[in-house]
Amino acid sequence: MNQVFVTPTDGIAVVQIDNPPVNALSRDVREQLPVVVAQLADDKAVDAIVIVGAGRTFVAGADIKELEEAAWSGGEPPDLHDLLRLVEECPKPIVMAMHGTALGGGLELAMAGHYRVAAAGARMGQPEVNLGIIPGAEGTQRLTRLVGVEKAIELCVSGKPIGADEAKQAGLIDQVIDGDPTLGAVSFAREAVRRGAPHPRTRDRADKLGTAESNAPIFARGLEMARTTRRHQTAPLAAIEAIEAATTLPFDEGCRRERAISAACVRSDQGRAMVHAFLAERNAAKVPDLPKDARPAELKEVAIIGAGTMGVGIAMACANAGLRVTLSDVGPEAVDRGLATIRRSYESSVTRGRLSTEAAGDRLGRIQPRAGFDGCEPADLVIEAVFENLALKQQVFAEIDRRARPDCVLATNTSTLDIDRIAAATGRPASVVGLHFFSPANVMRLIEIIRGDRTGTGVLATALAFAKRLGKVGVVVRNGPGFAGNRMMFPYMYEAQFLAEEGATPEQVDRVLTDWGMAMGIFAVDDMGGLDVAWRIRQEKRGRTPFPPEVERKRGTTPFPANEREPLVADKLVEMGRLGQKTGKGWFRYGDDRRPIPDPEVLNLIESAASSAGIRRRQIGDEEILERTIYALINEGARVLEEGVASRAADIDVIYLTGYGFPAFRGGPMFYADTIGLAAIHDRIAAFHRELGPRWKPAPLLARLAREGSTFRQFDAEPKRTAAPASRS
Ligand code: COA
């Protein structure tokens, strides 16, 4: 397919790269662009060339799908060397005109041009580090020559793009264009032709490369920054190594060095994991059995019922995305309190320079208080965010049903309750969907979208589009105890508590987990969420389960096997009023800075509970802690997958990466399991089953894949019987 087009404009040829959606440098572009440049170089009617991107952006990078192919096939990643040389050695000046985003391979292409101009709103960067790789198309070599060692390290290690003004100041571009970037680039090209040769080649620049002496402290600071801001990640260190090569080796040799480092990163576990994470996140929106013609409804106004922590966070997330919001609660005081929290949060963003006063005012103005259910009538979407209690939610939904328009989508923000029973409180169960936000809802990127038995496909499509509109990642899961994320959390959290009873300390467990890359240890997570949350679920399980027995049977296992004992200490802590951060004490103690401090009182409690239960405490090694916690997560993940609660292992990975602080460089729990090997994981789990009891029974799916020498990745690629299609609405 033709993806490179030329428009001659009186001596200046405008070359347009047109490879939607983001003009990635895919195979066709890589083949066509050199042919076009070579032809124009020979064309006597052409004095200069301008290269632009079609549509919303310049080139946003190498084609990540091709990178993935190379990573798994062991083949070479796409090589742009010949193309870049051709561009740089073109006898006619080439001006790169950037708009939208010029990222990765896109910026590398631009840096091979003789001149670069950018629209005022353009963003430029080397985000490869977010994919576990480094700029591999000579980017580290040219960037260092254009902007110097310090800025090159900053761009490659942070992965954050910069705006046009900053790029100009740094020497990355020659001019910021106000107005149409192509027109601006054409007149820039005319001026370059008028000035005449020589036209600068980036490879020849040496003025910013520094000396060994001047660079040494810069590299030391860069390495320090990489180790602290990107803990455990190898790509940032590799990028710095390649930048160092730019300062010590001639250009071509530096490029060869960079290519070798880059290829190793592409094939590394971290590279594969982070590319997997990028693509899995985008695939999450492509729900296997959602018909292509399922159209999302247009959303303008959202009514939020419940002005507690979740309601407030959701209201801000909606207002930040430009939606009109009404916020209501039973009494005006609750709404006032909610609005005051929102005001304080926006004010603090302004004070920290993250938001302008006008933007904060605009967002605040989008959130209107309402009494009771008054916001429901005009709303396109109602989100219920009241206290997590089934009877209460059913009452609220019955009232929403009476008031909302027939085409309104009715969503419940629940983390545990049965969506079908909530939907049954309305006369329109097809309009009901679960939106499980994570706290703080204005910050956390994940929304678990819970599909009830009767949720309509249009409603599901609307929920997915809504998540995207909020800049979040929506992952569709089926109804069932704890859905996917929290259900997996229980065995993980409980195993940590069993380890503590057997001789580890909460501090040791959390250290092992954070050293491994988890954003927080599991005890600290429990303290942050509140120990009363799991306590309430246990209470309900003992007496009134949130899911009736027939649902439990239909959905398979409950979050925790009924024949297994529960951890000994968690309930005692709750009874002592140690609910976690909110009471200043939980598994740990907390000072003003909210850092967890080990508490001897808790250790004594654990020891005495263990001794009364006849548990002989022993020294527990870090490796055992890691295996028992993470493998518990994986084993339950396999069940979630087998039961169809999640439709793909990759979806579970996205849930854990975006909602539970799982380290991106490990690709998510299921991807990580593949990297260890399912047979090895299965064998450990089977051994735990023998030693520790029925909770460790290997999930049948894990056992099957291990036996077949397969992986969760292959399981995702297996053809599936799709579940019965949901009703249309
Ligand atoms: N190669 C292949 N596909 C890419 C791509 C790339 N470099 N960058 C984005 N895409 C695809 C996405 O997979 C998505 O595909 P889909 O519509 O089939 O789901 C589509 O382009 C839109 O991307 P999305 O991220 O959903 O859009 P956005 O507007 O939020 O963000 C970007 C656009 C370019 C900022 C963002 O996609 C991005 O950061 N891309 C990666 C850039 C990068 O790392 N480049 C270096 C690669 S070496």
Side-chain angles (χ1 to χ4, degrees):
M1 208 163 65
N2 220 355
Q3 286 171 329
V4 179
F5 301 90
V6 183
T7 319
T9 337
D10 194 16
I12 312 293
V14 176
V15 176
Q16 194 184 54
I17 300 172
D18 187 2
N19 181 22
V22 295
N23 299 323
L25 292 172
S26 316
R27 191 164 292 118
D28 285 350
V29 177
R30 289 201 307 279
E31 281 168 13
Q32 291 163 27
L33 194 55
V35 175
V36 168
V37 170
Q39 273 166 2
L40 294 172
D42 286 344
D43 187 338
K44 296 214 162 29
V46 171
D47 300 319
I49 300 167
V50 168
I51 299 186
V52 302
R56 63 176 170 143
T57 186
F58 189 71
V59 174
D63 188 329
I64 296 176
K65 291 183 187 103
E66 286 183 18
L67 284 177
E68 194 190 35
E69 253 171 58
W72 289 94
S73 67
E76 286 301 310
D79 186 352
L80 297 184
H81 179 71
D82 291 342
L83 166 65
L84 300 179
R85 172 172 286 255
L86 188 79
V87 167
E88 197 160 53
E89 291 185 351
C90 181
K92 295 170 184 174
I94 298 187
V95 181
M96 301 287 179
M98 295 177 273
H99 75 294
T101 44
L103 301 176
L107 185 58
E108 291 176 301
L109 170 68
M111 290 190 293
H114 304 105
Y115 304 101
R116 281 156 299 284
V117 301
R123 318 254 325 143
M124 285 146 274
Q126 300 287 171
E128 286 85 348
V129 76
N130 296 324
L131 299 171
I133 58 177
I134 70 163
E138 306 172 0
T140 57
Q141 309 301 297
R142 287 198 178 84
L143 185 65
T144 309
R145 284 170 165 78
L146 286 171
V147 303
V149 174
E150 189 156 14
K151 194 76 183 169
I153 291 179
E154 181 194 314
L155 286 168
C156 292
V157 171
S158 77
K160 290 198 184 115
I162 54 174
D165 288 332
E166 190 177 345
K168 169 79 174 69
Q169 217 169 19
L172 185 57
I173 61 171
D174 301 289
Q175 198 177 90
V176 180
I177 308 274
D178 289 316
D180 186 299
T182 306
L183 290 180
V186 167
S187 48
F188 187 99
R190 276 195 214 297
E191 186 55 26
V193 172
R194 195 193 54 73
R195 276 198 314 270
H199 301 294
R201 299 193 316 173
T202 307
R203 60 184 290 141
D204 299 333
R205 297 271 304 268
D207 51 308
K208 290 193 178 172
L209 289 179
T211 62
E213 204 179 15
S214 67
N215 287 337
I218 303 176
F219 281 117
R221 277 200 303 276
L223 288 169
E224 179 60 24
M225 174 172 74
R227 288 197 187 104
T228 49
T229 59
R230 290 192 172 263
R231 256 178 356 124
H232 307 296
Q233 296 185 28
T234 46
L237 306 175
I240 293 176
E241 190 186 338
I243 290 169
E244 192 157 18
T247 66
T248 52
L249 300 176
F251 183 78
D252 285 326
E253 241 177 274
C255 291
R256 272 196 294 279
R257 181 89 197 94
E258 180 204 78
R259 226 173 3 258
I261 299 172
S262 159
C265 287
V266 169
R267 290 188 205 115
S268 68
D269 278 347
Q270 290 201 2
R272 287 178 177 186
M274 291 171 92
V275 166
H276 161 77
F278 179 90
L279 294 173
E281 206 176 277
R282 275 132 193 103
N283 278 337
K286 294 165 194 150
V287 178
D289 64 336
L290 188 64
K292 292 232 167 350
D293 60 354
R295 291 261 159 271
E298 196 187 337
L299 301 181
K300 292 201 179 103
E301 181 153 339
V302 181
I304 294 162
I305 314 286
T309 311
M310 289 314 289
V312 156
I314 297 168
M316 289 174 70
C318 293
N320 296 350
L323 291 157
R324 285 197 307 273
V325 185
T326 60
L327 183 64
S328 63
D329 209 308
V330 271
E333 311 78 33
V335 181
D336 287 349
R337 257 199 316 276
L339 278 173
T341 308
I342 293 173
R343 194 171 298 114
R344 271 198 309 277
S345 172
Y346 282 138
E347 278 166 8
S348 133
S349 299
V350 171
T351 315
R352 288 193 210 160
R354 294 197 185 146
L355 202 62
S356 69
T357 315
E358 300 72 49
D362 174 67
R363 291 176 188 194
L364 193 58
R366 289 178 179 281
I367 306 173
Q368 294 299 315
R370 288 285 181 277
F373 290 85
D374 284 354
C376 292
E377 280 87 355
D380 306 301
L381 165 67
V382 177
I383 304 177
E384 162 280 308
V386 304
F387 188 69
E388 189 81 342
N389 172 289
L390 183 62
L392 175 64
K393 292 207 187 232
Q394 286 172 323
Q395 245 174 22
V396 167
F397 264 76
E399 186 59 28
I400 296 172
D401 188 27
R402 275 191 280 281
R403 296 186 175 231
R405 289 199 322 260
D407 60 339
C408 181
V409 171
L410 314 185
T412 168
N413 170 61
T414 175
S415 53
T416 49
L417 299 175
D418 180 355
I419 304 295
D420 293 332
R421 290 178 87 190
I422 296 173
T426 72
R428 41 172 139 171
S431 301
V432 178
V433 67
L435 294 178
H436 177 201
F437 283 84
F438 287 69
S439 188
N442 53 319
V443 177
M444 295 294 287
R445 291 177 62 229
L446 177 64
I447 305 180
E448 249 183 338
I449 299 176
I450 298 109
R451 175 178 195 172
D453 273 350
R454 297 181 61 188
T455 304
T457 51
V459 169
L460 206 55
T462 304
L464 282 160
F466 174 64
K468 183 151 177 86
R469 168 89 187 255
L470 299 193
K472 297 188 186 293
V473 185
V475 182
V476 174
V477 295
R478 289 204 175 258
N479 195 19
F483 314 125
N486 282 350
R487 169 166 161 188
M488 290 167 62
M489 200 66 178
F490 267 86
Y492 170 60
M493 183 170 77
Y494 279 12
E495 200 57 36
Q497 295 180 22
F498 291 137
L499 282 159
E501 292 166 11
E502 291 167 37
T505 63
E507 187 193 8
Q508 183 193 4
V509 172
D510 276 14
R511 177 188 47 75
V512 168
L513 290 170
T514 51
D515 280 356
W516 186 75
M518 296 296 290
M520 287 173 81
I522 181 62
F523 286 102
V525 166
D526 202 12
D527 276 351
M528 194 175 72
L531 270 59
D532 49 325
V533 176
W535 174 81
R536 195 174 37 70
I537 292 169
R538 278 192 298 275
Q539 293 295 84
E540 285 191 276
K541 259 180 78 65
R542 285 168 192 146
R544 305 157 289 119
T545 63
F547 286 80
E550 67 277 10
V551 173
E552 300 249 354
R553 266 198 304 279
K554 192 166 106 201
R555 301 293 175 200
T557 55
T558 54
F560 207 68
N563 59 352
E564 184 67 57
R565 75 176 179 86
E566 282 171 353
L568 303 170
V569 180
D571 286 349
K572 292 202 171 67
L573 292 175
V574 174
E575 284 152 21
M576 290 161 72
R578 299 186 67 122
L579 304 186
Q581 277 195 23
K582 60 186 159 196
T583 57
K585 284 177 179 180
W587 292 103
F588 299 108
R589 279 190 301 117
Y590 294 87
D592 288 343
D593 63 358
R594 295 199 180 171
R595 288 167 78 96
I597 306 163
D599 190 340
E601 196 180 358
V602 174
L603 296 183
N604 289 337
L605 197 67
I606 294 173
E607 275 168 20
S608 75
S611 121
S612 320
I615 298 169
R616 215 161 43 83
R617 286 169 58 83
R618 62 190 165 94
Q619 283 262 323
I620 298 190
D622 291 358
E623 195 181 334
E624 179 177 345
I625 291 176
L626 192 65
E627 287 184 341
R628 282 178 55 183
T629 48
I630 302 297
Y631 290 8
L633 204 54
I634 293 167
N635 202 29
E636 195 62 19
R639 290 206 177 88
V640 161
L641 197 55
E642 183 157 38
E643 290 167 23
V645 173
S647 49
R648 290 167 292 204
D651 284 353
I652 296 179
D653 287 336
V654 175
I655 288 173
Y656 265 79
L657 292 168
T658 55
Y660 292 85
F662 201 94
F665 64 87
R666 299 199 190 271
M670 311 318 274
F671 184 93
Y672 173 70
D674 282 352
T675 61
I676 298 297
L678 299 192
I681 300 230
H682 175 267
D683 287 353
R684 285 304 283 148
I685 289 179
F688 291 147
H689 187 207
R690 288 190 296 275
E691 287 163 30
L692 300 165
R695 69 176 184 275
W696 276 104
K697 188 171 185 321
L701 176 64
L702 176 65
R704 164 168 80 84
L705 297 176
R707 210 171 38 245
E708 293 170 356
S710 186
T711 59
F712 287 120
R713 189 179 172 81
Q714 282 169 7
F715 172 81
D716 278 359
E718 283 174 9
K720 306 269 176 347
R721 220 170 21 94
T722 49
S727 55
R728 295 195 164 247
S729 138

